[in-house]
Amino acid sequence: MHKHIKLTLIFLTGVFQFAIAQEEEKDDIGTETVTVTKAYTPTINDAFKIKTIPNLNDSIVLQKKKINYSIFSVPVASTFTPAKGKASAVKKTPPPVLYNSYASAGVGNPANLMGKFYTSRTIDRESGYTLGLEHNSSRGDIDGVALDNIYSNSKLDASYTKRDSDFDWGVDVGAQHQLYNWYGIPDATFTEEEVDGIDERQNYYMAEASGHINVEDSYFENAKLEYRRFWDAVKSGENRAVFKTGFSFPVADENFRVKAKVDYVSGSFKNSSLNNPTNTPEINYSNLQVGINPSLALLNEDFSLNLGVNLVYGLDSENSDSNFYIYPAVTASYRLLDDMAIVYGGVEGDLMQNSYYGFVEDNPYVSPTLDIVPTDKKYDAYVGLKGQILPNLSYNVKVSYTTEDRKALYKLNAINDSRTDEKGYYYGNSFEVFYDDVKTIGAFGELNVDVNRNFSLGVNVEYFNYNTETDNPAWNLPDLKGSLFMDYQIGEKWYAGANLFYVGERDDVATIASASGIPAEFFATRVVLDGYFDANFHVGYRWNDQLSFFVKMANIANNNYQRFSNYPVQGLQVMGGLTYKFDL
């Protein structure tokens, strides 16, 4: 009985607790709505195999036998000695042997001679001097030329330089002698007796000296003073002195620079213009220029701009005339594509000092009867593009427009048989300087190729279009010029090179003077000079570091073209010689 009562109580207690638990769960869980947006896609993992070792009950399975090892040491006498390691050295190219002096000599046809000597010596670590001598001459006759046509050019240059920690200075001296002949008489114009009576020889002499100083880390940058005396065999003489200096001042991150110049030239010709029926009066000239050029340079990584102006005062003492000139001096460049394309341009002008010496350097057949005045280059405006297309291929193209007043042009002198000057330059065989106002449109293109370190090639072309104030042609100026050059190092011993150039047609005029002395009344005949092509070639062999041999050929086409009217040049010229380097 008691047993049944105990079981009944236990059952009621359990039911009561279960009921309470259900009530608490009902209160805590609550209700939620679950929305399924993706169907359930179960995945099945790979089963992992249980690694077990099977039991082998085969009676023939071999059993491993345990082996015990022992070492029996025996000493061994060794005489081996390992060699010490040595790092492999880089094979160096021996530096070239440099000598402070050399001498060169050559001889060829037609009776051409060449000689050169140069030496550069150091006195101490800060100073040294150089000395150079050069001579070129020819005694050969040109086919079809009646007058003597020999020439000679000898020059001496010497310099001394001194260097210090903050500046350097030096002096230079030079002398020159040139011999030329006015051999360009017109064909079939004079009798044999008249030709035999012509004294066509002219000698030019020059002596010059200059001094300069360059200073570092200073507002004052440099200064240079030059003096030159030039004269000839017919009592013509000229003096020229030029002084130039420069200053630089930092302005913020830019640079402000000032250049100054004083240029004075004076001279006289004992002979009068060949337009005059008599050899009077003599010609005197004296021109002074004082100029100052301030500029501001603006630079960054890809762009450079130079803003400046050129102020010049010009004085003609002989004619008591003076003028003040203002010229632009602006240049700029911009790097478009690194080194592949750089555009550049500018507008510049200057009062260009002309001189007897400068005219002779351009044309040694001028007469000693020149009128010397400066050229007013009002402006030269240009724009161009240059760069490197490939590491070994560079180019440069440019177009320009230039306006010049009193531009010096060479024109044949009139035949004036009424003159009896000391020298025979009045037979239409010399040139005068004719001044004209000229506007020029120009185009230039250049291409340079370094095929490899031993072979280089370059070509350039220039085109000009002239417009003169007098409506005359731009006398003796070509409208087209071009040149090609190449150098080739053939191995260690041989080398060669060539230079080819072309000059287009030029215009001149042949006149006969009249008693009036007025050029407009002279009988005139226009002369057109054909364009010409010239080719030159040289080859050399280096015997050793000191001695080498060479052969040069000029005018390979053997064309007696005329560089100036009535002046044919020598035909094919071949010259051989040697060069020897040494230490003094």
Side-chain angles (χ1 to χ4, degrees), residues 369-390:
T369 61
L370 305 180
D371 183 22
I372 309 293
V373 296
T375 296
D376 178 14
K377 181 186 284 189
K378 293 185 176 298
Y379 60 86
D380 177 14
Y382 58 91
V383 62
L385 183 69
K386 62 182 179 180
Q388 282 188 295
I389 303 175
L390 299 172

Side-chain angles (χ1 to χ4, degrees), residues 150-223:
I150 69 173
Y151 77 87
S152 173
N153 188 351
S154 302
K155 193 171 184 179
L156 164 68
D157 291 298
S159 66
Y160 171 82
T161 57
K162 174 75 172 179
R163 296 182 179 274
D164 207 331
S165 58
D166 297 325
F167 67 94
D168 65 85
W169 63 275
V171 294
D172 301 86
V173 295
Q176 185 179 20
H177 169 252
Q178 300 177 75
L179 184 152
Y180 287 93
N181 291 272
W182 290 292
Y183 65 84
I185 58 175
D187 294 334
T189 304
F190 305 101
T191 64
E192 185 175 350
E193 290 77 11
E194 289 176 319
V195 172
D196 291 339
I198 296 175
D199 182 4
E200 69 274 19
R201 181 165 297 186
Q202 169 69 301
N203 287 275
Y204 300 109
Y205 306 91
M206 185 272 292
E208 62 182 355
S210 65
H212 70 270
I213 183 172
N214 300 307
V215 181
E216 298 180 1
D217 301 326
S218 174
Y219 295 141
F220 169 71
E221 287 190 327
N222 54 65

Side-chain angles (χ1 to χ4, degrees), residues 350-526:
D350 198 2
L351 186 64
M352 303 173 62
Q353 189 79 284
N354 293 316
S355 66
Y356 185 28
Y357 174 80
F359 289 143
V360 169
E361 290 293 293
D362 290 339
N363 183 353
Y365 310 112
V366 294
S367 64
T369 61
L370 305 180
D371 183 22
I372 309 293
V373 296
T375 296
D376 178 14
K377 181 186 284 189
K378 293 185 176 298
Y379 60 86
D380 177 14
Y382 58 91
V383 62
L385 183 69
K386 62 182 179 180
Q388 282 188 295
I389 303 175
L390 299 172
N392 61 345
L393 178 62
S394 63
Y395 69 95
N396 184 14
V397 292
K398 182 178 72 171
V399 293
S400 62
Y401 181 78
T402 307
T403 297
E404 297 171 283
D405 288 353
R406 303 189 302 273
K407 182 177 178 63
L409 307 173
Y410 300 110
K411 184 172 72 71
L412 273 173
N413 272 312
I415 298 175
N416 194 340
D417 54 10
S418 66
R419 294 283 286 264
T420 57
D421 299 15
E422 178 185 352
K423 296 289 184 178
Y425 50 79
Y426 47 86
Y427 296 91
N429 57 338
S430 63
F431 294 84
E432 66 172 316
V433 175
F434 180 82
Y435 295 97
D436 203 344
D437 297 344
V438 182
K439 297 178 180 179
T440 307
I441 298 174
F444 170 80
E446 182 179 42
L447 195 66
N448 292 295
V449 183
D450 293 326
V451 179
N452 53 48
R453 62 183 302 175
N454 296 324
F455 182 70
S456 61
L457 175 69
V459 60
N460 64 71
V461 178
E462 289 182 276
Y463 170 77
F464 304 96
N465 181 274
Y466 306 101
N467 183 14
T468 63
E469 182 70 18
T470 60
D471 292 330
N472 292 318
W475 304 119
N476 276 295
L477 290 181
D479 56 0
L480 183 64
K481 294 195 299 182
S483 65
L484 181 147
F485 70 89
M486 54 185 173
D487 289 299
Y488 185 30
Q489 180 66 44
I490 313 170
E492 296 182 358
K493 297 291 186 179
W494 291 91
Y495 62 92
N499 181 22
L500 299 84
F501 60 91
Y502 173 80
V503 177
E505 289 187 350
R506 288 136 294 134
D507 292 290
D508 207 332
V509 59
T511 57
I512 300 176
S514 63
S516 66
I518 302 174
E521 299 178 0
F522 294 175
F523 176 77
T525 303
R526 184 172 176 178

Side-chain angles (χ1 to χ4, degrees), residues 561-577:
Y561 60 83
Q562 296 186 23
R563 182 183 176 190
F564 295 104
S565 183
N566 299 330
Y567 280 87
V569 302
Q570 293 181 356
L572 175 64
Q573 304 157 56
V574 180
M575 174 179 287

